[in-house]
Every structure is written in C-alpha cells, then in structure tokens.
Amino acid sequence: MSLVASLIQRRRHPLLRRAVQEVLALYGVEVPAAAEIGPGLIVFHRGFGTVLHPFTTLGAGVTLYNGVTIGRADPWVPQEQSLMERVVVEDGAVICSGAKVLCKKGVLTVGRGTVVGANAVLPTSTGPYEIWAGAPARRIGTRAQLPGPSQESARSTERATSTAREGGSGRSSGPVT
C-alpha cells in the first residue's frame, strides 16, 4: 500500500486525524473524513491533485490516479440546495489521471470494474466493466471481467472433478482454459 493510500485509510484516526489531513494536503490530496473508502485502495503518483467530495463512497480495490476529482456538478449551488446525493465508485473501478466524476442529481454510480479514461468528464452513471472516455465521457467499449477468487476456485474444482471422472492423473498436457 502506498503512503498516500495508507494515510487516506488513517484519516479518521482520533489522534492522527489532523496530522494526516495536513500531510495529505502537502500532496494536494483532499479526502474528507466523511468520504467512505473501502479496503485495498490504490493511489498512483501520490494522488497529486486528487479531490473527493464528502458524499463519496469508494468500494474495495478502487484505483485512483493523480488529478482525479469526484464531486458535484453544481458547485455554484449551496450544498443544502444541491440535488446531488452521492457518488458511488464500485469495487475494482479505475479512474485515470485528470478524470472528473461529477454528479448533478441523485446518485451517480461508476460500475464495478469500470475504467474512466484520462481527462474524461463523467456526468452519468456507468454499467459494470465498461470503458468511458472523452468530455463529456461516452462509453467506448467494455472490459473483460477477470475471475474473482471464488470463480477461480470453482474452475479448479470443476477441472479436478472432470479429470477424476475421466480417470486421469489430474495433470493436463495442454493449456487449461
């Protein structure tokens, strides 16, 4: 875990809170204590210039590059009058350098495993495993779903079971698919 990701995880510590916020500020990183951050956050390039709105939720294994902004699309409206409720970045999403995820109304969701390209401006929710780029961002493709631990162990069990039924040794001479 990088220093910045480690500091972000510790930003709510009762004794370290102020010191952690000041160190993050030296990197130009603003992550309010109200933002919810899941385990396994990855922050590249020390997150220089990264800003998260307090109503942000990052799932497990989210990757953030430098210069990412997640927040409101209507900053001229007082917070109490804004129609933005929350930005949710689901597990495994990647938000590349300079990308802006801006919610104007309700909840904006960046789907599981979605990639938001460099310098993209994303004003709408995405589906899972999509690739978005441009300003305003549009869907330019889909991303292959990598098997999770439970899927991989199920495949291993399935291969072992079929090999045992065939009377094999459990070793294959060809590639495993």
Side-chain angles (χ1 to χ4, degrees):
M1 180 182 294
S2 72
L3 171 64
V4 173
S6 178
L7 288 170
I8 289 171
Q9 293 293 351
R10 290 174 174 77
R11 77 195 186 293
R12 291 183 176 175
H13 189 282
L15 299 176
L16 302 176
R17 180 183 336 231
R18 178 71 177 178
V20 167
Q21 290 292 357
E22 292 302 319
V23 173
L24 286 172
L26 292 174
Y27 287 107
V29 175
E30 186 177 328
V31 181
E36 299 173 15
I37 311 293
L41 174 66
I42 300 167
V43 179
F44 282 109
H45 309 295
R46 295 188 180 106
F48 283 108
T50 297
V51 178
L52 303 184
H53 190 276
F55 300 157
T56 300
T57 300
L58 301 182
V62 168
T63 301
L64 300 178
Y65 282 82
N66 55 304
V68 168
T69 299
I70 298 177
R72 293 182 10 197
D74 58 355
W76 56 88
V77 175
Q79 177 68 46
E80 308 80 45
Q81 296 173 6
S82 177
L83 298 177
M84 176 206 169
E85 293 175 29
R86 181 161 287 282
V87 175
V88 177
V89 180
E90 294 182 344
D91 299 351
V94 178
I95 304 181
C96 296
S97 298
K100 312 300 180 224
V101 178
L102 303 173
C103 179
K104 189 166 188 176
K105 181 179 181 182
V107 177
L108 185 150
T109 302
V110 177
R112 173 186 216 78
T114 291
V115 175
V116 179
N119 296 316
V121 179
L122 182 70
T124 62
S125 292
T126 74
Y129 299 99
E130 295 179 344
I131 302 169
W132 287 69
R138 60 185 174 79
R139 185 174 157 231
I140 61 168
T142 58
R143 183 178 176 201
Q145 295 182 28
L146 300 176
S150 60
Q151 291 172 323
E152 189 58 41
S153 63
R155 284 187 189 164
S156 299
T157 303
E158 185 179 303
R159 282 194 296 266
T161 304
S162 66
T163 304
R165 269 192 236 127
E166 296 167 8
S169 64
R171 295 184 184 150
S172 78
S173 58
V176 177
T177 56

